[in-house]
Amino acid sequence: MVSFVTARPAPQAAGTVCSAVPVGRKFLNTHTKKQTDMDPSEVEFLAEKEMVKIIPNFSLDKVFLIGGDLGPFNPGLPIDVPVWLALNLKQRQKCRIIPPEWMDVEKLEEMRDLERKEDMFTPVPSPYYMELTKLLLNHASDNIPKADEIRTLVKDIWDTRIAKLRLSADSFISQQEAYAKLDNLTLMEINTIRAFLLDTLNCMYKLRSNVQ
Amino acid sequence: MSDALSDDGSDFNQDDTQEDVMTPAELIAKLEEAWLNEKFSPELLENKSEVVECVMEQLTHMESNLQRVKKGDAKASIHRMEIDRIRYVLSSYLRSRLQKIEKYFPHVLEREKSRGEGEPSLLSPEEFAFAKEYYANTESYLKAVALKRMPSNLQTVDMIKAVPEPCLDSFVFLRVKERQENILVEPETEDQRLLITVDPGDIPEIKTAQRSHQEACPSSSPFIQNKD
């Protein structure tokens, strides 16, 4: 679903030290992979820290994790756990996942319509709405009513937002603004445009400052 | 590397844990913030060795506890998963620092040299050793491969000039943590200056190396920190 995300520029081929010794200031620059890149899977990794409600079918005492205590788990009693644990338990068929409140066809339809109507970015229900939808629908679609409709709706919302993002990036560059306000954007959305936009801006900055 | 870490930092680490009343959860959040900042910053940020030490301590403690648990315990597998996640963040953080050191080593060492008394060090002791060794190895490699065959007047390389500097003028995304008024934003072309107010949660996009901005906004980020 997050197909835009993969369209990152391929890292440049690493030049070897000895072949490039001559002039140029960059002959030692063998590590050409951009550090400022973040892999989409790392954004997903962050999203997995979000809490989600599950109904376990086993019982277990409190677990004292480094990041906080979890449990106790009782069969049939809903409990909040991080998504990474929920998915693991689900895969081992030890729980049922209760989708977050916003993952609901009516609410998402409302959101989609609002998103299409407004020129600005509207607030999203979760800072990781895209990643969570993908994770939960891929691994627990049997626990989520109307999974296919939700998938389409979230994709619609995502597409609308990305189109807005591209549009505003375009006007940001063509009007040579010094800063832009990007409220309500999520990390994944920023990530789709980060490498491209920042590189562009850096290049243009270099070109312009050389002209003067 | 991990041995060196635990040997070296154990003294001040103990002091630290007495002063700080940070919960492990806050500690992990700190590590994650440092990780993201380091990832998105064009230059090397100051080292967070206390955080790294504390996280290491937590992990080794947890792992030694797990040694005693018998196999197939449901709790143990949950603990292991958490440890793996934290370890990933930790190594990704340290690795991205090492990559930057490799990329900018002469400049990193230069800054370390010109650092005043009492200023916090940019590098942890291990990173400093790594940078020095990397410098020496690069130099001897260049000498062995090419320089010694050059005419005698061309046998030296000025590393500072040979390796590109981190680009401090690059653009970044930043997320505002506290409300700040009158932040100076300089458009590139005109002389006019722009004052803006930012509220928590806003994500303005600004160029990094604007010193005035850096002072006005001491605490930026999950996305990036404006620190020099």
Side-chain angles (χ1 to χ4, degrees), chain A residues 15-194:
Chain A
T16 48
V17 174
C18 44
S19 67
V21 170
V23 222
R25 275 166 58 78
K26 290 202 171 172
F27 75 90
L28 281 179
N29 193 0
T30 49
H31 312 277
T32 33
K33 181 160 177 6
K34 289 273 294 180
Q35 257 121 30
T36 46
D37 263 8
M38 190 174 201
D39 201 84
S41 62
E42 286 176 317
V43 186
E44 204 172 84
F45 175 84
L46 288 172
E48 282 171 0
K49 278 191 330 181
E50 293 287 294
M51 299 301 260
V52 66
K53 257 196 180 44
I54 59 163
I55 298 177
N57 59 13
F58 59 99
S59 60
L60 190 68
D61 287 343
K62 232 175 172 176
V63 187
F64 300 97
L65 291 180
I66 299 176
D69 305 345
L70 287 181
F73 297 86
N74 286 310
L77 285 185
I79 181 170
D80 280 323
V81 295
V83 171
W84 56 265
L85 182 58
L87 293 181
N88 180 274
L89 292 172
K90 173 74 193 168
Q91 278 165 351
R92 294 190 286 151
Q93 297 177 350
K94 283 181 177 281
C95 76
R96 200 151 61 79
I97 295 180
I98 303 178
E101 265 175 43
W102 53 265
M103 211 177 273
D104 170 82
V105 172
E106 257 171 55
K107 284 191 181 134
L108 287 173
E109 265 170 359
E110 232 170 77
M111 266 190 58
R112 180 196 58 188
D113 295 342
L114 188 67
E115 191 67 62
R116 284 184 177 163
K117 214 172 67 196
E118 295 279 329
D119 286 335
M120 302 296 285
F121 295 101
T122 56
V124 279
S126 153
Y128 300 105
Y129 74 99
M130 190 62 187
E131 302 88 301
L132 288 180
T133 312
K134 185 175 167 248
L135 285 169
L136 295 182
L137 286 181
N138 281 358
H139 295 103
S141 54
D142 51 332
N143 293 156
I144 299 166
K146 301 191 184 164
D148 285 340
E149 272 175 69
I150 287 175
R151 201 188 287 270
T152 319
L153 278 168
V154 172
K155 174 91 168 103
D156 282 349
I157 294 173
W158 169 267
D159 285 348
T160 317
R161 292 173 65 87
I162 292 296
K164 277 185 199 175
L165 185 57
R166 290 182 176 166
L167 210 64
S168 65
D170 181 53
S171 65
F172 176 75
I173 288 178
S174 56
Q175 289 166 25
Q176 302 191 7
E177 303 280 356
Y179 84 104
K181 229 171 156 183
L182 300 165
D183 302 8
N184 294 329
L185 269 189
T186 67
L187 185 52
M188 187 62 108
E189 287 159 351
I190 291 177
N191 212 40
T192 58
I193 205 169
R194 175 183 283 116

Side-chain angles (χ1 to χ4, degrees), chain B residues 13 63 79-80 111 140 161:
Chain B
N13 189 32
E63 270 166 356
H79 280 296
R80 283 228 172 78
R111 249 172 78 187
S140 58
K161 281 191 185 142

Side-chain angles (χ1 to χ4, degrees), chain B residues 78-92:
Chain B
I78 299 179
H79 280 296
R80 283 228 172 78
M81 270 194 283
E82 198 203 19
I83 288 176
D84 288 344
R85 287 177 62 86
I86 296 174
R87 205 169 267 284
Y88 171 74
V89 175
L90 186 67
S91 34
S92 174

